[in-house]
Amino acid sequence: MVRDITIGQYYPAKSVIHRLDPRVKIVCTLLFLISLFIQRSILGYVVATLFLGAVIYTSRVPFKFIVKGLKPIMILLLITVLFNLFLTRGGADLVHFWIFHITEKGLETSVYTAIRLIYLIMGSSIMTFTTTPNSLTDGIEKLLHPLNKIRVPVHEVAMMMSIALRFIPILLEETDKIMKAQIARGADLDSGNMIQKAKAMIPILVPLFVSAFRRANDLAMAMESRCYHGGEGRTKMKPLVYKGRDRAGYIITILYMVLVFIVGRYVPFHIWIF
C-alpha cells in the first residue's frame, strides 16, 4: 500500500507536457478540476474523459502508473459512493430492499461523484508527474506574486509546499524500510482487530517521526549554513518565460472549458442503468 502512493513523484520523460511552463500546468489543472463540477450530463464527462486521455497520452506517463495512485483512495471512494447511493433521495425508486432505497437521483449522484474523485486524482497526478518540485515552487511563487503587495509571504509558502512534496516520496520509502525491518524481527502487522493493528503501528510510527524530525533539522541547518534568508532579492537560475506552446496550452484548455460548459449544462443527455 505504501508503494502505491504516487503523489509528489516526478516521472521523467520527453513530452510537450513536461516542457510546458509550470504556471500553465497549475492553471490548466485548476480549470480541469473546476470543469468536473460545472457539468450535469454524461456527455460532459465524455468530453472530460477524452481531454484527460489526450493529456495522459501526450505526457507519455504510463497509464498504469497513474492508476496506481488511485489504490490508496479506493476505500474512501467506495464509502463516498455508497453514502450517495443509499442516502440521496429523488426520482423514481430503482431498488427497494428493507431500509435501503436506490433512486434515480442517488444513482446519478453516486456515479458523478465517483467520476469526479477519480478524475480529480488523475488530473492532479499528471501535474506532479510532469513537473519537478523546483519548477512547481517557481510556478506557484510566480502566480501568487501579486499577494506580496498585501504582505503575504508568497516565497515562504511556495517553499513549504515544495519541501512537503519533496519529502513525501522520501518518507514513504522510509516507512517501507521500517515496516520490512519490523516484519523481519517478527512483528505481525496484518492479523488481529483494529485496536491490535493500531498498537502494531506504534513501532513503525515512533522511528518514522524520529527520522522525519532528524531530516527536518538537517535541512534547517543546511539552509542556515548557506545563509538562506527568504525570497527578498533572490534571483532565478531559470526564469519563467511564456513560449508559444504555453499559449497554445492555455487556448486548448479554454476551448475545452467552453465546450464542457455548453455540453455539460445545456445539452440534455442522460444515461441510466437499470
Side-chain angles (χ1 to χ4, degrees), residues 88-136:
T88 303
R89 296 288 183 264
D93 284 348
L94 302 179
V95 178
H96 183 195
F97 173 71
W98 192 35
I99 61 174
F100 300 103
H101 294 265
I102 299 179
T103 63
E104 290 183 351
K105 186 65 176 178
L107 179 60
E108 179 186 21
T109 304
S110 61
V111 171
Y112 287 172
T113 301
I115 295 175
R116 287 168 179 169
L117 287 176
I118 293 174
Y119 285 9
L120 188 147
I121 298 299
M122 294 177 67
S124 302
S125 299
I126 285 294
M127 182 184 66
T128 57
F129 287 150
T130 59
T131 313
T132 62
N134 290 336
S135 298
L136 196 59

Side-chain angles (χ1 to χ4, degrees), residues 31-269:
L31 291 177
F32 174 75
L33 299 183
I34 293 173
S35 71
L36 299 176
F37 296 91
I38 63 173
Q39 45 191 319
R40 300 175 182 175
S41 72
I42 292 294
L43 190 58
Y45 286 103
V46 171
V47 176
T49 302
L50 295 176
F51 179 78
L52 181 61
V55 172
I56 294 174
Y57 177 79
T58 306
S59 68
R60 297 185 181 179
V61 178
F63 183 72
K64 62 180 180 180
F65 195 69
I66 297 176
V67 174
K68 185 179 179 181
L70 296 174
K71 292 182 181 179
I73 68 161
M74 290 306 297
I75 297 179
L76 176 63
L77 178 63
L78 181 61
I79 294 175
T80 304
V81 169
L82 290 178
F83 268 83
N84 283 281
L85 184 63
F86 292 112
L87 299 181
T88 303
R89 296 288 183 264
D93 284 348
L94 302 179
V95 178
H96 183 195
F97 173 71
W98 192 35
I99 61 174
F100 300 103
H101 294 265
I102 299 179
T103 63
E104 290 183 351
K105 186 65 176 178
L107 179 60
E108 179 186 21
T109 304
S110 61
V111 171
Y112 287 172
T113 301
I115 295 175
R116 287 168 179 169
L117 287 176
I118 293 174
Y119 285 9
L120 188 147
I121 298 299
M122 294 177 67
S124 302
S125 299
I126 285 294
M127 182 184 66
T128 57
F129 287 150
T130 59
T131 313
T132 62
N134 290 336
S135 298
L136 196 59
T137 302
D138 293 341
I140 295 174
E141 183 178 356
K142 198 71 173 180
L143 288 173
L144 300 180
H145 183 71
L147 297 180
N148 281 326
K149 297 180 179 179
I150 56 175
R151 297 185 178 181
V152 175
V154 173
H155 176 79
E156 285 72 15
V157 172
M159 179 62 69
M160 287 189 295
M161 295 179 64
S162 174
I163 293 174
L165 288 174
R166 186 184 294 271
F167 266 68
I168 288 174
I170 296 175
L171 292 178
L172 292 177
E173 183 180 357
E174 189 75 18
T175 303
D176 188 58
K177 290 180 180 179
I178 295 173
M179 291 179 66
K180 289 182 178 180
Q182 296 294 349
I183 293 174
R185 293 181 175 90
D188 188 3
L189 305 178
D190 297 326
S191 61
N193 54 33
M194 293 185 62
I195 298 178
Q196 292 174 339
K197 289 182 179 180
K199 290 182 178 179
M201 293 299 294
I202 295 177
I204 297 176
L205 294 177
V206 172
L208 180 62
F209 273 99
V210 172
S211 176
F213 283 120
R214 185 184 297 115
R215 290 180 183 273
N217 184 60
D218 293 341
L219 179 61
M221 292 181 63
M223 294 173 71
E224 289 180 1
S225 64
R226 289 167 173 81
C227 300
Y228 176 80
H229 55 82
E232 187 67 26
R234 294 178 64 87
T235 58
K236 304 291 184 182
M237 184 176 68
K238 296 179 180 179
L240 299 179
V241 179
Y242 282 123
K243 299 180 180 179
R245 58 175 176 265
D246 301 318
R247 299 182 181 89
Y250 278 133
I251 293 173
I252 293 174
T253 305
I254 292 174
L255 292 176
Y256 157 76
M257 288 291 293
V258 173
L259 180 61
V260 163
F261 183 80
I262 295 174
V263 172
R265 294 183 66 90
Y266 297 107
V267 178
F269 185 80

